[in-house]
Structures are given as structure tokens and as C-alpha cells.
Amino acid sequence: MSIGASIALEGVSKRFDSGLQALDPIDLELRAGEFVSLVGPSGCGKSTLLRILAGLVAPSTGRCRLAPGAEAARAFVFQEPALLPWRTAERNAQLLMELEGLAPDELQRRAAEALALVGLAGMEKLYPHQLSGGMRMRLSLARALALRPGLLLLDEPLAAVDELSRELLQEELSALWRQAGFTGVLVTHSVHEAVFLSKRVVVMSPRPGRVVEVVEVPFAFPRTPQLRASAEFARLAGEVTAALRRETVPRAAFA
Ligand SMILES: Nc1ncnc2c1ncn2[C@@H]1O[C@H](COP(=O)(O)OP(=O)(O)OP(=O)(O)O)[C@@H](O)[C@H]1O
Ligand SMILES: [Mg+2]
């Protein structure tokens, strides 16, 4: 169990050395233990914003305040599981902790715990090529969770998974989030995925990205599969889509 970090982005923008303005100033507060999704057109700066939140990229202006303190562990899950093929599942799950310099017995304990959390108990000795796509994604999640992050950043982690598996993985991810207590930020192109998982959905404009709307998702947790078929779910997904279209359609039409 980790303590969710709260984050405040204050006037955060990004202009790359090439001169490309990826993000216009963004103000956004993420509450401790919240799960938020970022949606927006391709190239609008979602991954850049996630990397700024992860501390991997420095903002050009503004600042990103993390509480409790900058030492709160941050973990990143990429679209590609990026596992080491010569390592077993448990050794892959230990990887990020090794880089953090944790003691070997602690590595083993935490890896076993994280693998159990994602439903991979009993598969510790298998290699990535012996796992299904969904299992590989769960392993990538376990590797991040083993760090006990206060902030978990997910960049389209389910994009390569078939639709039914994707829905099941969303349900698992939501349960994990509730159990582990981290603050979650997910980048996704799926409006339904964003609404299903999140307390709030942040809609971004085309590049340079800025926040155009924050849609509150009032459904109680745990979110059930039945929710997906409800009229209220469809209405909220429609609201997010409309916010996206308001920003993109007029420009595309005159392009
Ligand atoms: N290191 C970099 N140097 C220069 N430009 C970059 C760099 N990283 C990203 N960009 C540019 O910044 C813009 C935003 O990129 P980013 O990857 O954040 O978009 P995105 O919203 O995640 O897109 P997608 O949905 O396609 O993943 C793009 O125009 C991209 O080419
Ligand atoms: Mg991206």
C-alpha cells in the first residue's frame, strides 16, 4: 500500500530545443489518491505532460509541485511492456527496484507481492515470450507497482490489447488502484476507458496542448462492467467526445 501523492502543475509549459511548442501553460491539481485521465488529439503533448509529471522532462516554464515531497516514488508504465526477454517474470518485476538499489530480500518480497497483486502468482519463473500480451502488460504493471509509487503514470498501456481483454484489464487496473492507493494519471485515446477508470477526465486541445475542459465522473467505485451499458455512462462519454470535437473539428475542416 502506498500513499497517493498530490500534484500541482502551476503554469507548466514545454517548448523543445527545436523551437516546437508542445504545451501551453497548464494549471492542474491532482488530489492524493485520485485517478485522472488525459485525452486529446495525437501530438497534443500528453506524453510530454506525463514525462513532466514523472520528472523525466523539465518544464520550460512553471513548476510541478509534488506532495509529500519530491521523494515520493513515481513509476511509469509505457505502451510497450518493455520487458527484458532473458529475465523471468520475477526478475523483470525486480528490475526498477534494482535500479533504486533495494536489498535483495526486499526485492524478492516486493516482486512476489506485486506479481500476486496483478494476478501473476505462480508465473514467476516464466519468461516474457511464454506470457500472453495481457500478461506481459500485467507484468509491466507489477514492475511499476513493486516500487510502491505514490504516483503511477500510464501512457496508453492498453492500446495494443484486444477489446475484451482491454475491458477486463481496465477492471483489474481500477481494482489495483483502489487497493494500492497510488495517485494515477492515464493517457489514453479511448474516451470510454478514460470515463470508466477516472474520477476526472482532462480534455486537451491540439498542439500546443492546453486544458480545455475537466469532466467530473461521478460514478461510485468499484466500477462494474454493467456501468459501461448505462445511459449515464454514454452521456458522460458523449460529453468528453464533444469537448474533444469542439477543439479539433473546426481546424480539421479548414485544413
Ligand atoms: N524530445 C522531443 N523533441 C522535440 N519535439 C518533441 C520531443 N518529444 C515530443 N516532441 C513533439 O512534441 C509534440 C507532442 O508530443 P507528445 O509525444 O507529447 O504527443 P502525444 O499527445 O503524446 O501524442 P500521441 O497521442 O500521438 O502519443 C509532438 O509534436 C512531438 O513531435
Ligand atoms: Mg503519446
Side-chain angles (χ1 to χ4, degrees):
M1 182 86 182
S2 46
I3 308 291
S6 69
I7 306 107
L9 295 174
E10 296 167 349
V12 164
S13 74
K14 182 66 189 177
R15 185 183 188 87
F16 285 106
D17 291 343
S18 60
L20 182 135
Q21 186 80 21
L23 294 170
D24 270 349
I26 288 182
D27 292 298
L28 185 66
E29 275 198 39
L30 306 178
R31 302 164 201 134
E34 188 176 24
F35 198 105
V36 169
S37 290
L38 305 178
V39 298
S42 187
C44 77
K46 302 178 295 298
S47 296
T48 302
L49 187 56
L50 215 56
R51 287 193 198 110
I52 290 173
L53 286 167
L56 299 172
V57 165
S60 305
T61 65
R63 59 181 189 152
C64 175
R65 279 193 301 116
L66 201 70
E71 68 281 1
R74 289 176 263 187
F76 210 105
V77 177
F78 300 93
Q79 177 172 344
E80 292 299 322
L83 303 167
L84 299 180
W86 58 87
R87 280 188 172 219
T88 58
E90 67 184 354
R91 297 277 294 127
N92 264 293
Q94 293 169 7
L95 184 71
L96 297 179
M97 293 184 289
E98 281 174 25
L99 300 176
E100 293 283 310
L102 266 69
D105 56 339
E106 179 73 0
L107 291 181
Q108 281 164 17
R109 210 164 49 76
R110 286 211 204 174
E113 188 183 284
L115 287 168
L117 209 55
V118 301
L120 290 180
M123 305 200 185
E124 294 84 354
K125 303 293 179 203
L126 297 182
Y127 288 87
H129 76 272
Q130 296 172 307
L131 302 173
S132 71
M135 287 173 186
R136 283 199 283 272
M137 186 37 73
R138 287 209 282 264
L139 176 52
S140 158
L141 204 52
R143 184 178 52 187
L145 290 173
L147 284 177
R148 302 208 178 131
L151 176 61
L152 184 63
L153 303 155
L154 303 132
D155 200 351
E156 301 190 55
L158 307 181
V161 182
D162 71 84
E163 199 171 332
L164 179 59
S165 304
R166 186 167 178 161
E167 288 193 355
L168 295 172
L169 284 165
Q170 287 163 7
E171 285 147 30
E172 287 177 23
L173 178 59
S174 192
L176 271 175
W177 163 70
R178 283 166 49 80
Q179 198 178 340
F182 53 81
T183 304
V185 184
L186 171 80
V187 166
T188 179
H189 280 285
S190 163
V191 168
H192 286 92
E193 181 167 287
V195 172
F196 185 79
L197 285 166
S198 309
K199 287 190 173 177
R200 290 187 297 158
V201 179
V202 175
V203 181
M204 292 174 66
S205 70
R207 181 171 65 81
R210 62 194 159 78
V211 174
V212 292
E213 198 159 322
V214 179
V215 178
E216 299 270 346
V217 184
F219 308 128
F221 290 93
R223 304 245 166 111
T224 60
Q226 293 75 21
L227 176 64
R228 298 178 194 277
S230 71
E232 189 56 11
F233 185 82
R235 196 192 64 73
L236 264 174
E239 196 177 312
V240 173
T241 305
L244 280 168
R245 291 181 72 105
R246 263 198 300 280
E247 289 297 313
T248 49
V249 169
R251 293 186 194 202
F254 293 108

